[in-house]
């Protein structure tokens, strides 16, 4: 392996390690925020996903959250009991239901998001705005690139080892 390839690999391992640490911190933060609103982290995630996507089927929410539709269906039932989401029959398919945020759900999402934004803004209070914007752009690019790379990886036969691009 050439020096450049080895340097790229070492840098990639560092990024992977830092993303894992950020993921752990994010899960802990999500649990803390969810508890403040008497919700489970998975319920908050569903509310946030529904806020971004707008009214949709449970299957679409499950796909967005990378979980089985039965999991989302149970979460949705709990949120419906709390008055945070509403269901209605899908006019295109009477067997399916569409879910959407209620006014109370939108308000809960706003409060959850405000709490997260406050914490993130505080964590980067000493950073120049340009650095924060660059980080957001870099994370968006990494998210798209990794989505594409893992899609290619999932298409490989299970018996064939993945080739290291470095």
């Amino acid at each position: 392996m050439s020096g450049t390839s080895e340097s790229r690999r070492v840098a990639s391992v560092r990024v992977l390690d830092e993303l894992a640490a950020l993921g752990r911190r994010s899960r802990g933060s999500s649990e803390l925020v969810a508890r403040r609103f008497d919700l489970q982290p998975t319920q908050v995630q569903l509310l946030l996903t529904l806020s971004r996507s707008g009214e949709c089927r449970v299957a679409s929410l499950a796909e967005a959250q990378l979980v089985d539709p039965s999991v989302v269906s149970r979460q949705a039932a709990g949120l419906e009991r709390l008055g945070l989401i509403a269901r209605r029959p899908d006019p295109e398919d009477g067997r399916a239901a569409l879910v959407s945020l209620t006014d109370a759900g939108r308000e809960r999402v706003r409060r959850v998001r405000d709490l997260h934004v406050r914490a993130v803004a505080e964590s980067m209070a000493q950073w120049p705005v340009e650095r924060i914007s660059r980080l957001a752009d870099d994370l968006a690019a990494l998210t798209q690139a990794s989505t594409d790379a893992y899609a290619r990886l999932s298409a490989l036969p299970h018996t064939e080892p993945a080739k290291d691009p470095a």
Side-chain angles (χ1 to χ4, degrees):
M1 194 178 295
S2 73
T4 302
S5 294
E6 182 59 23
S7 295
R8 181 172 296 279
R9 180 172 174 73
V10 167
S12 296
V13 167
R14 183 172 172 226
V15 167
L16 191 59
D17 289 346
E18 292 303 325
L19 286 174
L22 183 60
R24 288 188 300 276
R25 175 70 266 147
S26 179
R27 282 188 298 281
S29 302
S30 293
E31 288 176 22
L32 174 75
V33 170
R35 278 196 309 270
R36 287 187 65 136
F37 292 99
D38 294 322
L39 295 170
Q40 298 170 4
T42 53
Q43 290 176 312
V44 170
Q45 193 58 43
L46 187 138
L47 290 172
L48 292 169
T49 300
L50 195 51
S51 174
R52 284 187 298 272
S53 68
E55 183 178 62
C56 63
R57 289 182 176 184
V58 167
S60 297
L61 287 172
E63 186 177 314
Q65 291 190 245
L66 304 174
V67 298
D68 190 85
S70 65
V71 172
V72 172
S73 188
R74 283 190 303 276
Q75 292 169 350
L79 292 169
E80 187 175 20
R81 282 190 299 277
L82 293 170
L84 300 175
I85 68 167
R87 285 183 207 248
R88 69 179 184 94
D90 185 339
E92 295 178 13
D93 181 355
R95 298 168 298 167
L98 296 174
V99 292
S100 61
L101 291 174
T102 62
D103 289 342
R106 281 188 285 283
E107 176 60 18
R108 188 74 56 100
V109 166
R110 185 194 63 74
R111 291 173 55 212
V112 163
R113 196 175 301 252
D114 285 352
L115 196 57
H116 278 299
V117 168
R118 188 171 98 201
V120 170
E122 182 181 319
S123 70
M124 297 183 294
Q126 302 305 312
W127 294 21
V129 173
E130 297 78 20
R131 182 178 178 192
I132 297 168
S133 293
R134 187 174 59 246
L135 175 61
D137 291 344
D138 289 347
L139 287 171
L142 178 59
T143 298
Q144 184 58 58
S146 66
T147 298
D148 297 345
Y150 279 100
R152 287 188 299 276
L153 183 65
S154 71
L156 292 175
H158 291 293
T159 56
E160 180 183 324
K163 292 185 172 52
D164 187 348

